[in-house]
Amino acid sequence: MMLDEDDDCPELVPIDTQPGPPVGQIPVTIITGYLGAGKTTLLNYILTEQHNKRIAVILNEFGEGSALEKSLAVSQAGELYEEWLELRNGCLCCSVKDNGLKAIENLMEKKGKFDYILLETTGLADPGAVASMFWVDAELGSDIYLDGIVTVIDAKYGLQQLAEEKADGLVNEAARQIAVADLTIINKTDLVTEEELKEVKDTVRVDLSEVLDLHSFDSKDGANLAEKLQLVKSTRAHLDKSILTVTFEIAGDLSEDALNAFIQDLLWEKIFCNKEGQPMSVIRLKGIVSFADKGHQVMLQGVHELYELNETQQLWEENPRINRLVFIGRNLDKDILQEKFVSTVLLGSEKN
Ligand SMILES: Nc1nc2c(ncn2[C@@H]2O[C@H](COP(=O)(O)OP(=O)(O)OP(=O)(O)O)[C@@H](O)[C@H]2O)c(=O)[nH]1
Ligand SMILES: [Zn+2]
């Protein structure tokens, strides 16, 4: 049979190489980084710089500190936070797969579309697990797609966090967070010397190549859905179980001097021990506190042995003056911390 070239030659159709995000899909950027690295600071910066986009911000919650985490974030960013997402079991990686994407989609149904979604993971999250559910879901026809992962590294404590040995021989959280990063931001450069900064940069590069295979985890290759879900499942045990969160709320006013002494005993002198006699070691400290002579709420922020107390814009006014504190670290004991706090820092208690 002869082919009539003019009639039968099929039309050339461009191959769908990099289709890009389907029209109407909303980009999500995951912001990750170890406890206190500066994720929320980066978020606030983006939100204050970027005025003409509707940005939804999702904050992950950690442990029982959820209520405080929320109130802290809200008071820092004021009205810039568009909406809030409640994720049930405290850890985004574990809960978002089941209800997180659904929650985002519900949110968009209620509030209309966003131009952008920023998602801050907890400092102990494995962002690979968070990232993977986006492309798992993409196959199920989602409205959102993963645009990239930004990892914030603490120039002062980053190396220490990377060097941390995990008992089970697993790659530690800090290294995982760097491994999956599309963009790495070294933060707090004001706290280190040129040489220290160079060391951080070099280490981050080396680490990247050592754990690069983690990237396969979030690649959009042809692996079938079941395999992908398998991967998500196998990384569930990502939280460092030795790190505990303690939170408490105490009504009343505090002595500023006594609070400083309490924090310094805890962070610097490390004189507090748990019931087993092991010294408490705090990685992250946050709080809203009330001083008798101040009408404004004061925010406490601590990362390892650095801490600061800053007056916020927020007035107590008729709100009950309740001090809220979150401690994240090792060997923490709530009863002991709270007892110490109440007996030495709270005004009007026996010892003050
Ligand atoms: N010196 C200095 N401090 C910074 C910088 N960026 C952030 N910080 C401080 O570091 C502390 C922690 O910052 P956050 O932005 O809350 O860190 P985070 O990563 O969101 O913390 P978690 O969500 O608890 O893991 C705060 O006291 C910030 O003021 C910086 O560039 N230099
Ligand atoms: Zn944060």
Side-chain angles (χ1 to χ4, degrees), residues 36-206:
K39 300 176 290 295
T40 305
T41 305
L42 175 64
L43 269 177
N44 286 335
Y45 175 75
I46 296 170
L47 290 174
T48 29
E49 289 298 301
Q50 182 59 255
H51 292 292
N52 44 13
K53 277 192 159 71
R54 258 174 73 82
I55 301 176
V57 172
I58 303 167
L59 292 198
N60 197 350
E61 296 164 21
F62 186 86
E64 46 168 339
S66 57
L68 179 57
E69 277 280 335
K70 282 193 223 181
S71 66
L72 283 179
V74 168
S75 66
Q76 274 184 336
E79 77 283 351
L80 285 167
Y81 280 97
E82 289 264 4
E83 181 59 78
W84 213 260
L85 259 194
E86 195 113 23
L87 297 169
R88 261 180 295 137
N89 62 8
C91 170
L92 186 68
C93 318
C94 304
S95 63
V96 85
K97 198 161 63 68
D98 309 318
N99 62 20
L101 288 181
K102 197 85 211 90
I104 294 170
E105 285 169 1
N106 288 345
L107 179 71
M108 292 191 300
E109 258 167 47
K110 270 194 292 172
K111 306 282 284 187
K113 295 257 171 174
F114 299 103
D115 301 313
Y116 222 101
I117 295 172
L118 298 174
L119 191 159
E120 176 184 339
T121 72
T122 77
L124 291 175
D126 174 359
V130 182
S132 67
M133 68 176 201
F134 283 98
W135 49 253
V136 166
D137 197 73
E139 290 183 1
L140 308 174
S142 171
D143 284 342
I144 57 184
Y145 72 95
L146 181 62
D147 187 49
I149 302 178
V150 176
T151 301
V152 183
I153 297 169
D154 186 323
K156 186 166 173 67
Y157 296 108
L159 289 180
Q160 184 183 320
Q161 289 151 2
L162 276 168
E164 188 127 331
E165 301 255 351
K166 305 268 297 190
D168 43 15
L170 290 174
V171 179
N172 70 39
E173 285 81 8
R176 280 171 185 271
Q177 291 165 349
I178 292 171
V180 297
D182 296 304
L183 173 71
T184 304
I185 294 176
I186 299 178
N187 189 34
K188 306 195 194 179
T189 55
D190 56 305
L191 297 178
V192 297
T193 63
E194 284 291 319
E195 296 87 82
E196 286 171 317
L197 181 59
K198 189 183 174 301
E199 206 189 334
V200 176
K201 282 186 187 164
D202 292 347
T203 310
V204 167
R205 286 199 191 106
V206 169

Side-chain angles (χ1 to χ4, degrees), residues 254-268:
L254 307 182
S255 149
E256 187 163 355
D257 288 345
L259 179 62
N260 277 298
F262 171 85
I263 295 170
Q264 289 164 19
D265 281 349
L266 179 65
L267 302 187
W268 301 356

Side-chain angles (χ1 to χ4, degrees), residues 332-346:
L332 303 181
D333 183 291
K334 177 171 175 168
D335 296 339
I336 294 172
L337 277 173
Q338 185 167 338
E339 192 279 321
K340 204 78 189 159
F341 184 86
V342 169
S343 65
T344 66
V345 184
L346 191 67

Side-chain angles (χ1 to χ4, degrees), residues 271-305:
I271 61 168
F272 300 145
C273 292
N274 64 10
K275 294 193 183 83
E276 285 73 49
Q278 298 157 313
M280 297 190 199
S281 152
V282 174
I283 299 170
R284 190 77 172 98
L285 179 59
K286 307 187 215 193
I288 292 286
V289 295
S290 164
F291 295 132
D293 57 339
K294 291 201 165 76
H296 290 264
Q297 302 182 357
V298 173
M299 179 176 291
L300 164 65
Q301 284 275 12
V303 180
H304 293 274
E305 70 262 24

